[in-house]
Amino acid sequence: MGDASVTALNRVIVVGAGPVGLTAALVLANAGVPVTVLEKRATLSPASKASTFHPPTLAILDDLGILNEVLDQGAVVDRIQYRSAAEGIFAEFSLNMLAAETRFPFRLHLEQARVTPVMLERLRRHRHVDIAFDAELTDVALNEGSVTARVRQDGGEEVLEAAYLIGADGSRSQVRIALDIAFDGESYPDKVVRVMTDESLEGLMPGIAPLTYLFNGAKSVSFLRMADCWRIILRVPNEIDDESALAADWILARLKEVAPGCVHLPRVVMKDIYGVSKRVAVRYRAGRVYLVGDSAHVTNTRGGMNMNCGIHDAFAVARAMAEALHRNDPRLVDLAADERRRVATQFLIPRTDRNVIGGQAWLDKVKAMAANPEQALAYLRSSAMLDMVPDSASHL
Ligand SMILES: Cc1cc2nc3c(=O)[nH]c(=O)nc-3n(C[C@H](O)[C@H](O)[C@H](O)COP(=O)(O)OP(=O)(O)OC[C@H]3O[C@@H](n4cnc5c(N)ncnc54)[C@H](O)[C@@H]3O)c2cc1C
């Protein structure tokens, strides 16, 4: 871990090689800033978590020079459909309506674990980037004009100093804990069951769009077409134990409610269940340390916004950091971090909560929006996160 030309005065430490940390590292590396990435795992996480990349995130990936490689692997989503067992398709929104506002008027469905290797490979091309796996940050100390990180690696401990440190170490962030920053919030009353099938759903639901919401009140089901499978997302009250909720009979019964023709469970290639909570760090910064991504905010997965918001954090904070190093003005990073916290509290959390509330009122609203082009455009802008973009990315 070390390059003689890199000094504490110009180096940035990024903790965490998830999609957010790797974005921050790439932004800094592309700006010529020496970076050390610390990742406690031996390899990148293979976990299939986030699956949606929204238009502003695609613009950031394009700026990082990796969009084409990412697009090649994913499924382009050009319309969002709402339907119910009783009414069939009752609303549809074409993302092409966003063509005047973004160069990427679509979403991309792709597992985050397919994007992080592309980021890592790109990072490895930079001479001034050190990427240390099996390197766990255990503590952080704030100094005047720098930061010190304590790292457990190769059975020993090492102390690294840097101009700045970015904590992109996920929802259980050791950076956040070391700085004693509270992560306020609460758990949602529902868990999420994800079922992946490689069978086509077209026969079951003719005309199904690549992103389809089957409305059934609190038991609504989402369908996401990935490049090689469909993801079916069901919500389960926390009181139901995991084993029952993952049982084939239980899943089939829930599917039958929204798709009565579903007499057998489509072939399942993977299924899992997880709990969700909403939390935002009370501060995104302390001294020269900044929190981004899941270390700073988590929320439910409806609308697929949390990772995207984290990538936007990384872009904004890392851009500001490169500029701050250039101009010797750390306040630029403070401003960017404070702005990202405002986006999380004023947009991310209320918007993902809105998606949770659902209900008849939401259904009526969806119908009204689909019937009115102005409202449809507003709906698409907000679900595409176009109003949550960092200033530094607004021109992309
Ligand atoms: C099932 C599921 C589905 C989801 N679907 C969506 C979706 O559709 N859309 C969306 O936007 N979001 C979604 N999310 C959320 C999304 O996965 C997260 O927001 C995203 O992973 C955050 O990225 P990150 O880089 O901040 O953190 P992480 O991906 O958690 O990465 C953090 C990294 O830091 C490393 N690390 C942790 N501690 C240390 C340490 N002390 N030292 C060194 N390294 C450390 C970890 O090993 C990890 O590699 C989903 C989440 C789940 C669980």
Side-chain angles (χ1 to χ4, degrees), residues 102-121:
T102 167
R103 288 185 293 133
F104 308 102
F106 54 88
R107 299 178 179 204
L108 189 75
H109 280 175
L110 182 64
E111 291 83 3
Q112 68 183 64
R114 306 266 287 268
V115 177
T116 45
V118 179
M119 293 175 160
L120 180 65
E121 190 275 328

Side-chain angles (χ1 to χ4, degrees), residues 14-302:
V14 175
V15 187
V20 173
L22 293 174
T23 298
L26 257 182
V27 170
L28 289 161
N30 286 349
V33 177
V35 185
T36 297
V37 180
L38 304 174
E39 169 54 54
K40 74 174 178 185
R41 299 170 52 90
T43 59
L44 294 177
S45 168
S48 159
K49 298 200 289 183
S51 57
T52 300
F53 289 80
H54 287 291
T57 315
L58 297 174
I60 289 174
L61 298 184
D62 191 37
D63 185 69
L64 298 179
I66 58 172
L67 182 65
N68 287 342
E69 229 174 307
V70 168
L71 283 179
D72 281 351
Q73 301 184 63
V76 167
V77 177
D78 56 357
R79 62 200 166 105
I80 304 174
Q81 185 179 93
Y82 286 81
R83 54 201 285 166
S84 69
E87 291 182 79
I89 300 169
F90 63 80
E92 198 162 273
F93 299 86
S94 165
L95 273 85
N96 204 36
M97 284 183 86
L98 296 172
E101 316 216 4
T102 167
R103 288 185 293 133
F104 308 102
F106 54 88
R107 299 178 179 204
L108 189 75
H109 280 175
L110 182 64
E111 291 83 3
Q112 68 183 64
R114 306 266 287 268
V115 177
T116 45
V118 179
M119 293 175 160
L120 180 65
E121 190 275 328
R122 198 52 68 103
L123 262 182
R124 289 200 196 278
R125 296 185 194 174
H126 286 275
R127 217 163 47 87
H128 285 315
V129 174
D130 290 326
I131 304 158
F133 284 93
D134 278 321
E136 179 176 4
L137 175 123
T138 55
D139 204 3
V140 183
L142 308 176
N143 316 317
E144 186 64 39
S146 76
V147 54
T148 309
R150 191 170 286 277
V151 186
R152 190 180 297 140
Q153 193 182 24
D154 298 330
E157 269 209 331
E158 192 174 349
V159 173
L160 295 178
E161 196 183 359
Y164 292 98
L165 182 144
I166 295 180
D169 50 341
S171 57
R172 301 203 170 118
S173 170
Q174 181 58 28
V175 174
R176 193 185 63 232
I177 292 167
L179 295 171
D180 204 16
I181 297 177
F183 202 31
D184 286 351
E186 62 195 68
S187 298
Y188 283 102
D190 289 341
K191 294 181 278 197
V192 176
V193 167
R194 294 189 309 169
V195 179
M196 272 65 134
T197 175
D198 58 358
E199 272 188 42
S200 165
L201 298 180
E202 179 65 35
L204 198 59
M205 285 171 277
I208 187 171
L211 176 58
T212 293
Y213 298 112
L214 240 305
F215 186 80
N216 186 26
K219 294 178 175 178
S220 297
V221 183
S222 314
F223 296 85
L224 284 74
R225 186 167 59 73
M226 309 300 294
D228 50 6
C229 67
W230 280 92
R231 274 187 182 201
I232 305 173
I233 316 280
L234 306 109
R235 270 91 205 174
V236 191
N238 284 340
E239 299 77 64
I240 298 186
D241 66 88
D242 291 4
E243 201 184 332
S244 308
L246 286 171
D249 287 353
W250 189 90
I251 295 170
L252 179 60
R254 284 287 298 268
L255 284 181
K256 263 190 188 155
E257 282 190 37
V258 293
C262 187
V263 287
H264 72 274
L265 194 59
R267 187 175 41 245
V268 174
V269 290
M270 206 281 261
K271 59 184 172 182
D272 61 9
I273 184 164
Y274 55 91
V276 264
S277 52
K278 58 173 168 183
R279 297 179 195 284
V280 179
V282 294
R283 286 179 290 133
Y284 273 23
R285 59 184 171 92
R288 288 186 166 222
V289 177
Y290 298 85
L291 301 179
V292 290
D294 275 20
S295 72
H297 52 80
V298 292
T299 185
N300 69 79
T301 56
R302 295 200 195 207

